[in-house]
Amino acid sequence: MELKFDANQEYQLAAVTAVADLFTGQTAHGGQMQQVAGQSSTMLVVPNRLELDDAALLANLTAVQNENGITPDTALELLTENIAAADSEESASFYNFSVEMETGTGKTYVYLRTALELARRYGFRKYIIVVPSVAVREGVLKTLDITKRHFSDLYENLPYRPFAYDSANISQIRQFALSSNVEIMVMTLAAFNKVSNVIRQDTDKLSGETPLHLVQATRPILILDEPQNMESEKSIAALAALRPLFALRYSATHRKPYNVVYRLTPFEAYRQGLVKRIAVAGVESEGDTARPYLRLLSVHTQKRTLTARMAVHKRMKSGAIQEQIVTLKPGDALVEATNRPEYAAYVVEEINISYQSVLFANGQEITVGEEIGVDKMTIFDAQIRYAIQEHMRQQRRYNQAGIQAKVLTLFFIDRVDNYANNGPIRQLFDKAFADLKVGYPEWQEKSSTDVQAAYFAQRRTRSGETILEDSKSGEAERDREAYDLIMKAKERLLSFEEDVAFIFSHSALREGWDNPNVCVICTLNQSTSEVKKRQEIGRGVRLLVNQDGERILDEKHNVLTVVANESYSQFVATLQSEIALEYRAEIEARYGKAIDQLTVDERAAIAQEYGAGILPPPPANARQKAKATRNKAYELDPHFQELWERIKHKTRYAVKIDTDRLVQAVVTELDQATIQAPRIAVTKVELRATHDNAFEAVQMATAKTLQSLVGRYALPNLVDMMENLMAFTSPPVRLTRQTLHKICTGTSAATQQAAMDNPNEFTAVAVKIIKSKLVEQLVDGIQYHRLNECYEMTQFEAEIESWEEYLVPVTRSIYDHVIFDAQSQIERDFVAELERRKDVQLYIKLPAWFTVSTPVGTYNPDWAIVMQQVDAFGYPIQGKPALYLVRETKSTHDLDKLRPDERRKIQCGKRHFEALGPEVDYKVIVSASELP
């Protein structure tokens, strides 16, 4: 198997472009070697150079943030740290730019491509990818390996060398410093964050030089993978010790976003179908309220006050006992917080921030994630059985549908000791697998040992319990094989030739590792943190791939089932990761309820006030599925036959561009653009002696231009450059050479001089403007032509499975239920109004396969409706022809308030139905009251 990569995914290209455009105006340099004074001799290195000053960088940052809909920052984010740990008493500063991408959307691919794009555009050559753990490192190295051919083709064999830093092979640092090719070094933070690290020691292997000084001299660009794990003072000092030119920070869960240039939220990833849908199977103990129940969620310190958030079973005013979250301080009695005498023995004696624990006066102690008052192993057994059965069902469904994709299930366990050495979780799994495979003949020949593998790491707590650390799990041969399979052999793990399908981990696989075919995640732990919960779920949100390594895009096959050891509502409550804490508190205070208890109307009101992305779609309850069943006689219904006859035809579109208008629009904006001339810039540094007689370079001032390079180089063919760059875009843009020539010659004398002074920047700016103006004309000039091809009525499935809460029972459609958008109260209200109206004979929610092609993606109209004309009393008028309508339901008639692509699709949809003839009436409406 070889995993395939799509080079033309727009959201990934947007993330790459966002970072690359930060350095517009930077001269592309050729990787010249420079001499730098070392401690024993002069060192030769090929460094990165940044010529832009703060003002230029800030201007570029503002432009990029505006382009991506991000509120512009007023200043550049500089991290300044004392780097005494690097044998210096001085401080160092470096720029930071952040990219936020939802897990599973190709973050590693994006930053690797970004590095190569920066190398292609500007000649930056030295990159260090800093990762927080071995698991993340192995994931990055694997991606580097499997994308090698893809990037080689994409960047025309641009020479680059990826490698993992190895302290036992320190001479590789010399090649990193000397090479004029692109060097990509992958390091864990632990490899350079201590004075004792090998990289900080003098070595004869480098002629007495310190490896760190060679690295510093290259002014590397840092790519920080999961930077939220690198926020401590020690970590920042270690990063500063590398003397980076700047840092690019990539994460789905930034703790502190520095100068964000691109953001792909969970909501947007979900909405665009870039990740799997999520279903939650909550497993909990119900009705067991006789004994005190406690679950410690978190402990905090603020203004010298220690507090703990704890879930308890509280007696409400109605008399019912419900799980509630309370905040406790030392001395608080749970009997008062819960209104229940069963908690009389629980008085908070101590809250320990170091050990994340609470000690009660009765001697019991609970740590974050632990529970008291629940039969944990019984719940674990139920979870494990459900997860195995869901796995077997999912694999059978794929097989029956002819989809050659192997299902994987990932278990997150609470303690390594509960699995290792035949622990209770391992025993529960073995027993459940043996019991369940009886009902699935395809699993009969497999043993539980064959199908499972585990990756843990090791260290010891103060109590001696084995938990996570970054190392292999023991030295046993099976442990080594499991490590290689899980961490390195992704293709083999995805193959049917490999029996392993169930993977166990504590938390070593919580970030940095994922696999597209993880379709079930079973949480045999308590992840109370929103960040941790997102990280765990993120291991399985990537879209499914088949045995050919190709992504499966069908939404109904891309579902991640999370088997949680808590109720569905509890799980959802901690999954609302897009809500800032201050917004959560404000929203919950306003409505007097938890986020997960909000109604559809309340959620709609919040979305309108705080923005559409503030509340991601709530995951569906995996244990409450239902079906919409088709009326068997629908094909005989004359209303439906006539409706379908009118709307069934497909079309193709042609785009007519007014070339003269396009040229004029581009020229006008080009003449207003700023195109800086190429130049030589100086970055002033001071060589200072450290206490161990070494030298290091400390930057004293920002870059300054010394000399212009205008006229130093041969002028390339601008039309050729523009044509090549437009072919590189996605989708490729093609204009005739004559049109490109008109653009070049139509600009002002000043712009033409700027183009001759800096043809590379002129080309980049021009192509960007061309693409922008071209999109504006695409929709305006589009024409649709009816084809002989059509959608067949037989494409309607007999049954459509969905989540129960998304189904509305109906009587006037071809199905007995309508499936509505989980986020759309408008659709629910619309259906209710259609059901009430006497003049509505028939309506259908047009299925996902009924699409219209547009230049900005496929468009799926909302509704097709048959109406009978009625008299003043609302009764059908006999003999009057029926009305056949197609309607799009939106929250507003003002299309300018919609997202640009959404607005353009609607405009294209209108042209499509116009091409079918006057028999179909298409409009955008807000409610059914606007129907004729």
Side-chain angles (χ1 to χ4, degrees):
M1 171 192 278
E2 180 181 349
L3 294 173
K4 306 296 193 307
F5 294 90
D6 182 357
N8 299 317
Q9 296 197 75
E10 291 184 8
Y11 72 96
Q12 293 182 342
L13 291 175
V16 173
T17 301
V19 174
D21 285 353
L22 283 171
F23 307 101
T24 298
Q26 167 81 11
T27 303
H29 50 83
Q32 295 83 2
M33 191 169 288
Q34 294 183 7
Q35 290 186 341
V36 179
Q39 59 197 47
S40 59
S41 62
T42 299
M43 299 185 298
L44 292 174
V45 299
V46 176
N48 291 322
R49 298 202 316 269
L50 180 61
E51 301 164 350
L52 303 180
D53 57 19
D54 283 2
L57 272 177
L58 182 59
N60 287 343
L61 174 65
T62 300
V64 168
Q65 290 177 326
N66 283 327
E67 178 72 19
N68 288 287
I70 297 168
T71 302
D73 292 322
T74 57
L76 297 170
E77 293 271 9
L78 280 167
L79 273 179
T80 303
E81 280 297 322
N82 183 288
I83 55 172
D87 302 328
S88 169
E89 296 300 329
E90 303 302 326
S91 62
S93 301
F94 57 98
Y95 303 109
N96 287 263
F97 304 102
S98 299
V99 173
E100 181 181 323
M101 292 183 68
E102 176 63 348
T103 302
T105 57
K107 169 172 58 71
T108 307
Y109 172 91
V110 164
Y111 68 61
L112 295 179
R113 184 164 176 177
T114 298
L116 298 178
E117 181 67 15
L118 291 175
R120 184 184 70 84
R121 287 199 196 185
Y122 309 116
F124 293 138
R125 281 166 165 73
K126 303 302 167 68
Y127 301 88
I128 299 177
I129 300 174
V130 183
V131 298
S133 67
V134 169
V136 181
R137 184 192 68 192
E138 295 296 340
V140 173
L141 292 173
K142 184 62 183 178
T143 302
L144 279 163
D145 177 49
I146 62 181
T147 55
K148 190 172 183 179
R149 181 188 300 178
H150 171 78
F151 285 141
S152 179
D153 293 341
L154 193 61
Y155 284 92
E156 300 177 343
N157 295 313
L158 173 71
Y160 70 97
R161 182 180 74 112
F163 67 98
Y165 168 78
D166 181 0
S167 61
N169 184 20
I170 203 67
S171 59
Q172 62 190 338
I173 297 297
R174 183 188 300 279
Q175 183 175 353
F176 177 81
L178 287 174
S179 173
S180 60
N181 293 332
V182 178
E183 295 281 318
I184 301 176
M185 179 164 60
V186 185
M187 304 178 75
T188 61
L189 184 65
F192 62 92
N193 66 351
K194 298 181 287 292
V195 175
S196 59
N197 290 132
V198 172
I199 198 172
R200 296 177 184 269
Q201 310 304 314
D202 300 344
T203 174
D204 292 338
K205 295 179 180 179
L206 297 178
S207 303
E209 294 297 342
T210 304
L212 180 62
H213 295 161
L214 274 174
V215 172
Q216 291 172 344
T218 67
R219 300 307 311 279
I221 294 170
L222 301 186
I223 296 175
L224 308 184
D225 194 324
E226 307 294 354
Q228 68 273 10
N229 297 308
M230 308 174 197
E231 296 285 2
S232 68
E233 289 185 11
K234 178 182 176 182
S235 297
I236 294 174
L239 296 173
L242 298 175
R243 298 290 188 196
L245 201 62
F246 53 84
L248 303 176
R249 312 167 73 89
Y250 289 83
S251 178
T253 52
H254 288 286
R255 283 206 180 108
K256 180 172 172 43
Y258 301 82
N259 289 146
V260 177
V261 297
Y262 180 78
R263 177 177 286 129
L264 178 65
T265 65
F267 177 80
E268 278 300 302
Y270 182 99
R271 186 186 64 78
Q272 295 181 38
L274 305 178
V275 293
K276 291 191 184 94
R277 293 177 292 136
I278 298 174
V280 180
V283 179
E284 66 170 343
S285 174
E286 296 182 353
D288 185 17
T289 59
R291 52 183 175 174
Y293 171 80
L294 304 91
R295 185 174 78 254
L296 183 57
L297 305 177
S298 59
V299 297
H300 303 278
T301 178
Q302 188 175 14
K303 296 181 180 179
R304 299 182 181 180
T305 301
L306 289 170
T307 60
R309 293 179 70 246
M310 188 171 293
V312 297
H313 286 167
K314 180 178 180 178
R315 187 174 298 280
M316 311 304 290
K317 291 182 179 180
S318 64
I321 294 176
Q322 296 181 4
E323 182 170 312
Q324 296 286 304
I325 295 174
V326 297
T327 300
L328 303 170
K329 303 186 300 295
D332 284 352
L334 263 67
V335 66
E336 297 176 1
T338 62
N339 299 320
R340 296 186 61 200
E342 291 88 347
Y343 287 87
Y346 291 91
V347 177
V348 179
E349 184 172 294
E350 176 187 296
I351 298 176
N352 193 310
I353 196 72
S354 299
Y355 294 111
Q356 297 283 287
S357 64
V358 172
L359 177 67
F360 295 101
N362 63 0
Q364 284 194 270
E365 186 174 13
I366 183 173
T367 59
V368 169
E370 285 189 330
E371 294 177 294
I372 294 175
V374 64
D375 188 349
K376 186 163 62 176
M377 286 302 159
T378 299
I379 291 179
F380 282 1
D381 184 33
Q383 285 182 267
I384 290 169
R385 288 177 176 273
Y386 187 88
I388 294 172
Q389 190 164 42
E390 180 64 20
H391 179 113
M392 292 177 173
R393 282 197 298 255
Q394 187 84 315
Q395 188 65 72
R396 179 175 284 183
R397 283 196 291 266
Y398 288 164
N399 295 343
Q400 291 174 342
I403 296 173
Q404 293 297 303
K406 178 183 175 182
V407 175
L408 298 176
T409 290
L410 176 60
F411 291 90
F412 282 108
I413 67 174
D414 61 337
R415 301 169 188 258
V416 173
D417 290 346
N418 278 342
Y419 179 88
N421 302 316
N422 202 32
I425 287 177
R426 173 72 180 268
Q427 294 178 38
L428 290 172
F429 177 85
D430 292 346
K431 177 68 165 59
F433 182 82
D435 293 344
L436 292 168
K437 73 177 185 178
V438 173
Y440 295 85
E442 59 269 35
W443 292 88
Q444 288 297 322
E445 302 302 318
K446 310 287 186 185
S447 72
S448 64
T449 302
D450 295 335
V451 300
Q452 63 182 301
Y455 169 56
F456 306 117
Q458 296 182 342
R459 69 176 170 86
R460 294 279 171 179
T461 63
R462 55 177 174 162
S463 62
E465 179 200 354
T466 303
I467 59 173
L468 170 71
E469 192 177 45
D470 286 320
S471 65
K472 295 182 183 179
S473 177
E475 294 301 319
E477 183 64 26
R478 180 167 176 80
D479 287 336
R480 287 195 295 270
E481 291 175 357
Y483 176 87
D484 289 340
L485 175 64
I486 296 169
M487 303 304 298
K488 299 180 178 181
K490 179 178 286 188
E491 296 94 333
R492 182 158 66 89
L493 183 57
L494 283 167
S495 170
F496 285 124
E497 296 176 3
E498 173 58 55
D499 287 336
V500 169
F502 299 90
I503 300 169
F504 289 82
S505 181
H506 177 273
S507 52
L509 301 185
R510 194 175 62 214
E511 56 190 2
W513 178 93
D514 61 28
N515 192 295
N517 287 21
V518 171
C519 297
V520 182
I521 290 179
C522 184
T523 58
L524 304 175
N525 59 356
Q526 284 287 354
S527 294
T528 54
S529 160
E530 292 176 359
V531 170
K532 289 180 180 179
K533 195 172 292 292
R534 277 190 65 189
Q535 288 172 340
E536 289 178 352
I537 293 172
R539 301 317 99 208
V541 296
R542 195 178 293 274
L543 295 180
L544 200 70
V545 300
N546 60 23
Q547 291 294 291
D548 293 324
E550 299 167 335
R551 287 191 307 160
I552 295 171
L553 301 178
D554 193 328
E555 184 183 77
K556 68 182 179 184
H557 297 305
N558 276 293
V559 178
L560 171 65
T561 300
V562 180
V563 185
N565 57 348
E566 53 190 310
S567 74
Y568 159 69
S569 60
Q570 291 167 355
F571 186 91
V572 173
T574 55
L575 190 60
Q576 310 302 320
S577 53
E578 278 300 286
I579 306 170
L581 291 178
E582 61 269 23
Y583 287 159
R584 178 189 295 278
E586 181 181 328
I587 290 169
E588 291 184 342
R590 176 185 300 182
Y591 289 96
K593 64 179 74 171
I595 290 294
D596 65 297
Q597 296 173 343
L598 293 171
T599 66
V600 173
D601 289 340
E602 290 166 342
R603 292 174 70 87
I606 292 168
Q608 185 171 0
E609 180 173 351
Y610 291 90
I614 195 67
L615 290 172
N621 189 337
R623 309 184 86 175
Q624 295 181 6
K625 292 182 179 179
K627 294 178 180 178
T629 303
R630 190 187 67 206
N631 181 346
K632 294 180 180 179
Y634 82 104
E635 290 180 299
L636 302 177
D637 188 322
H639 289 304
F640 181 76
Q641 290 179 334
E642 180 62 22
L643 172 66
W644 200 250
E645 186 62 29
R646 294 179 182 228
I647 69 172
K648 69 179 183 180
H649 286 279
K650 299 180 181 180
T651 59
R652 63 175 175 82
Y653 70 83
V655 178
K656 184 177 181 181
I657 298 296
D658 185 335
T659 303
D660 291 338
R661 187 160 65 94
L662 175 64
V663 169
Q664 185 57 50
V666 173
V667 166
T668 299
E669 191 159 329
L670 256 177
D671 283 341
Q672 297 172 355
T674 300
I675 301 170
Q676 295 183 337
R679 59 207 176 277
I680 292 176
V682 61
T683 300
K684 191 174 183 181
V685 300
E686 181 179 357
L687 290 178
R688 296 185 180 179
T690 62
H691 66 273
D692 62 349
N693 298 319
F695 288 91
E696 58 184 14
V698 178
Q699 184 172 331
M700 298 176 62
T702 56
K704 181 181 178 181
T705 299
L706 290 181
Q707 187 176 0
S708 172
L709 294 178
V710 171
R712 295 291 186 92
Y713 308 108
L715 182 65
N717 187 310
L718 290 176
V719 172
D720 285 346
M721 292 180 67
M722 294 167 67
E723 193 173 45
N724 292 336
L725 186 56
M726 288 194 300
F728 181 78
T729 60
S730 178
V733 177
R734 294 181 177 86
L735 295 179
T736 65
R737 294 177 64 85
Q738 182 181 8
T739 301
L740 295 177
H741 185 265
K742 284 183 178 180
I743 290 172
C744 293
T745 57
T747 55
S748 66
T751 303
Q752 291 180 24
Q753 182 61 51
M756 290 187 289
D757 292 344
N758 195 341
N760 286 297
E761 185 174 3
F762 170 84
T763 301
V765 172
V767 169
K768 186 175 181 179
I769 293 172
I770 288 169
K771 289 175 62 180
S772 174
K773 299 303 178 185
L774 194 56
V775 168
E776 292 178 5
Q777 289 198 29
L778 279 175
V779 174
D780 290 341
I782 199 166
Q783 294 181 345
Y784 281 87
H785 303 281
R786 176 171 162 170
L787 302 175
N788 290 328
E789 301 173 41
C790 61
Y791 291 108
E792 301 294 343
M793 288 192 291
T794 55
Q795 291 180 250
F796 284 92
E797 298 174 69
E799 293 180 335
I800 305 176
E801 188 177 73
S802 184
W803 317 121
E804 186 175 290
E805 58 262 51
Y806 300 165
L807 292 173
V808 176
V810 296
T811 60
R812 301 186 185 184
S813 187
I814 65 171
Y815 287 89
D816 61 359
H817 289 79
V818 166
I819 302 172
F820 69 97
D821 187 335
Q823 289 289 91
S824 178
Q825 180 65 25
I826 292 174
E827 287 191 0
R828 291 213 307 180
D829 292 342
F830 189 76
V831 170
E833 289 184 75
L834 292 178
E835 286 291 304
R836 286 194 294 267
R837 290 187 60 147
K838 297 178 181 178
D839 53 353
V840 174
Q841 303 298 305
L842 173 78
Y843 65 91
I844 54 175
K845 179 79 183 296
L846 289 169
W849 46 260
F850 189 95
T851 59
V852 177
S853 296
T854 82
V856 289
T858 56
Y859 166 57
N860 173 218
D862 280 340
W863 310 94
I865 306 168
V866 181
M867 298 186 66
Q868 185 68 47
Q869 297 184 53
V870 296
D871 58 22
F873 301 98
Y875 292 98
I877 302 174
Q878 298 301 319
K880 287 285 186 178
L883 301 177
Y884 297 89
L885 316 174
V886 176
R887 291 294 184 263
E888 182 75 24
T889 47
K890 294 297 177 188
S891 59
T892 176
H893 292 107
D894 187 355
L895 298 186
D896 288 336
K897 292 182 179 180
L898 302 177
R899 288 179 292 104
D901 282 357
E902 191 176 17
R903 179 178 68 251
R904 289 166 181 151
K905 286 180 180 180
I906 289 174
Q907 290 170 332
C908 291
K910 180 175 176 59
R911 301 281 179 84
H912 161 83
F913 287 109
E914 287 174 352
L916 298 186
E919 297 85 6
V920 179
D921 182 58
Y922 173 89
K923 285 183 182 177
V924 176
I925 60 176
V926 172
S927 72
S929 62
E930 298 174 45
L931 293 172

